[in-house]
Amino acid sequence: DGGITQSPKYLFRKEGQNVTLSCEQNLNHDAMYWYRQDPGQGLRLIYYSQIVNDFQKGDIAEGYSVSREKKESFPLTVTSAQKNPTAFYLCASNPSSLRDSHNEQFFGPGTRLTVL
Amino acid sequence: SQQGEEDPQALSIQEGENATMNCSYKTSINNLQWYRQNSGRGLVHLILIRSNEREKHSGRLRVTLDTSKKSSSLLITASRAADTASYFCATDGRPNSGYSTLTFGKGTMLLVSP
């Protein structure tokens, strides 16, 4: 089956700990994205990557880090510097990185992170 | 900042009725997309309308785009209980960038009662 997987579905961490959220896709898509969603809110872009070994900050990158060592994988680390990390995190991918490509984004099922 | 803003924030209707959701945005766009999210799940793409298109249909969905007013509407006809979800509009969020990113609105929560 082709698609995007995120693991785990639920994650609990103590305050002050770093935590890494997994995102894998087997769609052979170039672009990958991380979003944060708070209750009753839309999605806010954290980081995005258009190609392996390259990534760009989104609108709310502070306190987060990413890597893109493989085309299929785009893990997100929520560091202790992120003041309000409790949220629903969504990963997405897009066949093309170009703005004129008119492509939809494909989303994973999300990871709900709760920091205690 | 969020580019798209949906209206209304919440909508409650009976099965069989039509549901209309609106989206306004601020900057020029290449395309506007609508997504659906069931509670606690990822988003699912519904329909994409390009900036040079005015109306598009897909099954029970009808999307319009008015670039002069910077607004779009999503109409779901003959709604079903299974249409209950949140609906988001999204626009390509970085007009000066060659890269494809999306900026999402806060969404409209639709409740369809049997």
Side-chain angles (χ1 to χ4, degrees):
Chain A
D1 286 338
I4 302 180
T5 57
Q6 291 184 244
S7 61
K9 189 172 176 61
Y10 298 97
L11 191 54
F12 297 88
R13 279 293 182 269
K14 291 183 179 178
E15 196 171 343
Q17 290 182 332
N18 290 358
V19 61
T20 297
L21 281 59
S22 167
C23 177
E24 304 278 332
Q25 54 101 357
N26 60 4
L27 300 167
N28 199 35
H29 286 177
D30 286 331
M32 296 186 75
Y33 310 83
W34 273 106
Y35 296 93
R36 170 186 173 132
Q37 186 178 31
D38 293 283
Q41 299 294 311
L43 278 64
R44 291 185 289 169
L45 183 63
I46 304 173
Y47 267 99
Y48 60 104
S49 169
Q50 309 297 331
I51 197 170
V52 173
N53 293 323
D54 183 59
F55 46 83
Q56 309 292 328
K57 291 183 179 180
D59 300 314
I60 56 164
E62 186 176 349
Y64 299 98
S65 66
V66 292
S67 63
R68 187 91 186 271
E69 296 176 2
K70 298 185 298 182
K71 189 174 186 177
E72 313 81 60
S73 179
F74 191 41
L76 172 75
T77 297
V78 185
T79 75
S80 56
Q82 169 50 233
K83 291 183 170 48
N84 297 299
T86 294
F88 189 48
Y89 290 88
L90 286 158
C91 180
S93 69
N94 185 325
S96 169
S97 61
L98 298 177
R99 184 164 181 256
D100 292 338
S101 60
H102 298 290
N103 285 322
E104 65 186 86
Q105 288 189 10
F106 294 76
F107 282 81
T111 292
R112 189 167 298 280
L113 173 64
T114 302
V115 175
L116 307 171
Chain B
S1 62
Q2 290 181 303
Q3 165 84 306
E5 293 291 336
E6 289 89 345
D7 169 59
Q9 287 186 330
L11 182 60
S12 181
I13 59 175
Q14 300 289 319
E15 259 189 332
E17 295 180 339
N18 295 342
T20 299
M21 289 158 266
N22 302 298
C23 169
S24 60
Y25 58 91
K26 296 175 184 172
T27 62
S28 62
I29 60 171
N30 272 353
N31 65 69
L32 185 144
Q33 304 180 32
W34 285 90
Y35 288 80
R36 165 195 169 126
Q37 183 182 35
N38 284 46
S39 182
R41 304 286 188 91
L43 276 69
V44 175
H45 180 263
L46 294 176
I47 196 165
L48 180 153
I49 186 164
R50 301 183 185 206
S51 59
N52 60 355
E53 296 176 314
R54 291 295 166 259
E55 188 171 311
K56 203 162 182 180
H57 297 255
S58 176
R60 293 184 296 114
L61 305 180
R62 172 178 168 253
V63 168
T64 62
L65 179 65
D66 187 334
T67 53
S68 66
K69 295 181 180 178
K70 292 187 168 59
S71 68
S72 173
S73 68
L74 171 67
L75 168 68
I76 304 175
T77 60
S79 63
R80 306 165 182 167
D83 293 328
T84 294
S86 291
Y87 292 82
F88 296 89
C89 69
T91 55
D92 42 353
R94 284 164 170 74
N96 296 323
S97 166
Y99 292 137
S100 173
T101 65
L102 292 177
T103 299
F104 288 82
K106 293 184 179 180
T108 291
M109 191 177 301
L110 174 66
L111 173 63
V112 182
S113 302

